[in-house]
Amino acid sequence: QKEVEQDPGPLSVPEGAIVSLNCTYSNSAFQYFMWYRQYSRKGPELLMYTYSSGNKEDGRFTAQVDKSSKYISLFIRDSQPSDSATYLCAVMEYGNKLVFGAGTILRVKS
Amino acid sequence: GAVVSQHPSWVICKSGTSVKIECRSLDFQATTMFWYRQFPKQSLMLMATSNEGSKATYEQGVEKDKFLINHASLTLSTLTVTSAHPEDSSFYICSARVTSGVSYEQYFGPGTRLTVT
């Protein structure tokens, strides 16, 4: 079993849709949770960083962490074609290295 | 967010030569930096973790004599690919971690595309 499971997609949605991206993890020791966006041939860009269970909102993005279920989500409201990218979830234990999901390819059609 | 730069953004070199890639944290100090490698349509593969002033810790299967890492200061880490071969052609990405209180945010550079001919 992988430490972090993420559906690779691709996920195709119409412009303006709400997008839901999800990851599950197996190790309850993970305490830090991040979502990255990566465009082709670019480095990953940190979108959201959370430390605890609950929701965190930043503009059109909302990150949700449920530690009891070991489940993390990223919601994108009013999706735009420019949101088309690969979205990587990442989890981390205290002071340790990031563990990435496989990445979900998102395509927003105009 | 914090900014991490990499130089060069792309490089072509001949087989057998060495290539150095620089990674800088521009607006914060990074005690810990990371080097990743990414093949097309695959996720990031961690190569090594470097801490300022100490030797890098390499992941299993990564040749430390081939991929030399130096973390000379709190804002600069370098990766040198020695005696490069075509199979070393890849996208190399560095990352720097902000350590402040309970924050362990990690920021990535734009990547360096290495082509060995």
Side-chain angles (χ1 to χ4, degrees), chain A residues 28-83:
Chain A
S28 58
F30 292 131
Q31 301 174 342
Y32 305 90
F33 309 94
M34 285 160 255
W35 283 96
Y36 289 88
R37 176 175 64 193
Q38 186 176 24
Y39 293 110
S40 181
R41 297 173 177 259
K42 299 289 185 184
E45 172 192 3
L46 180 62
L47 289 176
M48 301 291 281
Y49 168 87
T50 55
Y51 171 64
S52 58
S53 282
N55 294 354
K56 181 177 180 180
E57 189 174 319
D58 184 0
R60 296 185 296 113
F61 299 94
T62 299
Q64 197 172 76
V65 175
D66 182 348
K67 286 187 175 181
S68 61
S69 301
K70 300 188 184 69
Y71 192 85
I72 59 175
S73 301
L74 177 71
F75 299 96
I76 306 174
R77 291 183 298 281
D78 187 25
S79 56
Q80 303 295 309
S82 58
D83 295 328

Side-chain angles (χ1 to χ4, degrees), chain A residues 32 34 36 38 41-44 46 49 88 92 94-98 100-102, chain B residues 36 38 43-44 46 59 91 93 97 102-111 113:
Chain A
Y32 305 90
M34 285 160 255
Y36 289 88
Q38 186 176 24
R41 297 173 177 259
K42 299 289 185 184
L46 180 62
Y49 168 87
L88 298 156
M92 192 183 78
Y94 170 78
N96 215 322
K97 59 186 179 183
L98 286 179
F100 286 94
Chain B
Y36 293 82
Q38 188 174 36
S43 193
L44 299 156
L46 179 65
E59 295 297 302
F91 192 50
I93 313 174
R97 177 173 288 171
V102 296
S103 175
Y104 289 93
E105 298 172 36
Q106 193 167 320
Y107 295 90
F108 286 81
R113 185 158 304 280

Side-chain angles (χ1 to χ4, degrees), chain B residues 85-114:
Chain B
H85 291 285
E87 57 266 30
D88 298 323
S89 299
S90 189
F91 192 50
Y92 292 88
I93 313 174
C94 73
S95 178
R97 177 173 288 171
V98 172
T99 307
S100 175
V102 296
S103 175
Y104 289 93
E105 298 172 36
Q106 193 167 320
Y107 295 90
F108 286 81
T112 296
R113 185 158 304 280
L114 169 64

Side-chain angles (χ1 to χ4, degrees), chain B residues 11-99:
Chain B
V11 59
I12 301 173
C13 71
K14 291 187 176 181
S15 186
T17 61
S18 295
V19 174
K20 180 185 282 189
I21 302 170
E22 289 188 350
C23 175
R24 295 181 184 272
S25 56
L26 296 185
D27 50 3
F28 66 100
Q29 293 185 327
T31 311
T32 306
M33 289 185 168
F34 306 85
W35 287 94
Y36 293 82
R37 187 172 179 176
Q38 188 174 36
F39 291 105
K41 299 186 178 181
Q42 292 188 24
S43 193
L44 299 156
M45 183 188 80
L46 179 65
M47 298 175 66
T49 301
S50 80
N51 290 292
E52 187 265 340
S54 62
K55 290 184 178 180
T57 301
Y58 291 81
E59 295 297 302
Q60 192 173 8
V62 177
E63 299 176 60
K64 61 181 180 181
D65 293 331
K66 181 170 187 59
F67 299 99
L68 301 179
I69 291 171
N70 186 303
H71 195 153
S73 74
L74 289 173
T75 59
L76 174 64
S77 177
T78 60
L79 167 68
T80 301
V81 182
T82 63
S83 186
H85 291 285
E87 57 266 30
D88 298 323
S89 299
S90 189
F91 192 50
Y92 292 88
I93 313 174
C94 73
S95 178
R97 177 173 288 171
V98 172
T99 307

